Every structure is written in structure tokens, then in C-alpha cells.
Amino acid sequence: MATRGMIGMVQADGRTIKAVYCHWDGYPAYVGNVLQHHYNSEAEVVALIDSGDISTLGDTLSSTEFIGGYKVLNNGEQTEVDSAAQLFANSNEAYDYYKSMWCEWFYKYEDGIWWVRSRDTGWRSLAGVLEDIREGICES
């Protein structure tokens, strides 16, 4: 079963956020850990988000499986899948949109720091959440 997530980056204006959907393993112990340790520069985060929606996040862009191409409809016809990153007015708007898509975990990169929240919590530093997981304090 998928653990869906949103991965976003606050833009230079300090308000808008560009984000993508991530289908598999969205919990902090996997996606959060990969983001924190392998996508920790603005250039890497921009490249990841500009590549579009994600099926499975890898340690590198080349090992990441992206969503895209075509899908077959119930009537047998094919339709193109739009998997481009989306721009939102603010983090709350992005959260609401991806929450409606059954996302459980939400990540944003802002001023060089990764932040995470679940459906049940507010934004926390990802580094702090990963430390809590290592110490057995919170869920992964």
C-alpha cells in the first residue's frame, strides 16, 4: 500500500511553493531520510521538483522513478498523464491540495532546510523528526 507524500520548495518570493506528488514510501524514515541526505542543496531540490511527480524517490535523479507518459482508461483508450510540478500561493494551499489526494506526509524545502508535517502535526524540522525516529521517540 502506498504512503503518499508531497515534496515542495518555497520559491524566492518566500511565499509561493512549487510541489510534486510522491506515491511510494512517503514516511520520514524513507522519503524524509532520502531528502535530508541526498537532496540538500537548492540546485538538487529544483532539479528534483522540476522533473515532475514521483513514483519512487531514489538517492539520485537517475535512480528516481517519475510518473508520466500515458495510462490506459477503462474504455481501452490512452490518455497522457500530466505529472508536472504545480505552483501554489502558499504552503497551506499546497497542503490542502495534496491532502485531498490522500497524501499523508508533506515536505517543503525553505531557506536551505527541509520541513515535514503529517496530517496530524504542524511543520517541524525534518532533521529533528529524523533524530526523534533514531531515538525511538516518534513514528516513522
Side-chain angles (χ1 to χ4, degrees):
M1 184 171 199
T3 303
R4 299 171 180 96
M6 174 205 89
I7 300 171
M9 181 177 182
V10 175
Q11 301 300 285
D13 64 10
R15 216 181 95 135
T16 57
I17 185 169
K18 192 173 188 181
V20 294
Y21 169 81
C22 182
H23 189 71
W24 293 105
D25 302 323
Y27 46 88
Y30 182 75
V31 163
N33 194 52
V34 171
L35 291 172
Q36 184 71 25
H37 294 101
H38 298 283
Y39 296 92
N40 46 29
S41 75
E42 185 173 326
E44 291 167 322
V45 177
V46 167
L48 176 67
I49 291 171
D50 283 350
S51 296
D53 291 337
I54 299 165
S55 177
T56 304
L57 181 64
D59 292 350
T60 63
L61 281 180
S62 61
S63 65
T64 296
E65 294 177 30
F66 293 95
I67 297 170
Y70 295 87
K71 69 177 181 179
V72 177
L73 302 175
N74 290 337
N75 64 6
E77 293 181 25
Q78 286 188 350
T79 185
E80 190 169 351
V81 175
D82 180 9
S83 64
Q86 298 198 38
L87 189 63
F88 299 92
N90 55 54
S91 295
N92 288 335
E93 185 179 285
Y95 169 78
D96 289 342
Y97 176 80
Y98 287 102
K99 183 178 176 185
S100 76
M101 294 177 60
W102 301 86
C103 287
E104 299 174 55
W105 291 98
F106 307 85
Y107 301 90
K108 68 177 178 180
Y109 188 80
E110 184 174 16
D111 297 327
I113 299 170
W114 279 109
W115 299 89
V116 61
R117 74 171 292 177
S118 72
R119 290 172 158 261
D120 303 320
T121 64
W123 292 103
R124 292 188 54 207
S125 88
L126 179 55
V129 169
L130 291 174
E131 182 62 29
D132 287 351
I133 291 169
R134 279 190 290 279
E135 293 176 8
I137 296 172
C138 75
E139 294 180 39
S140 59

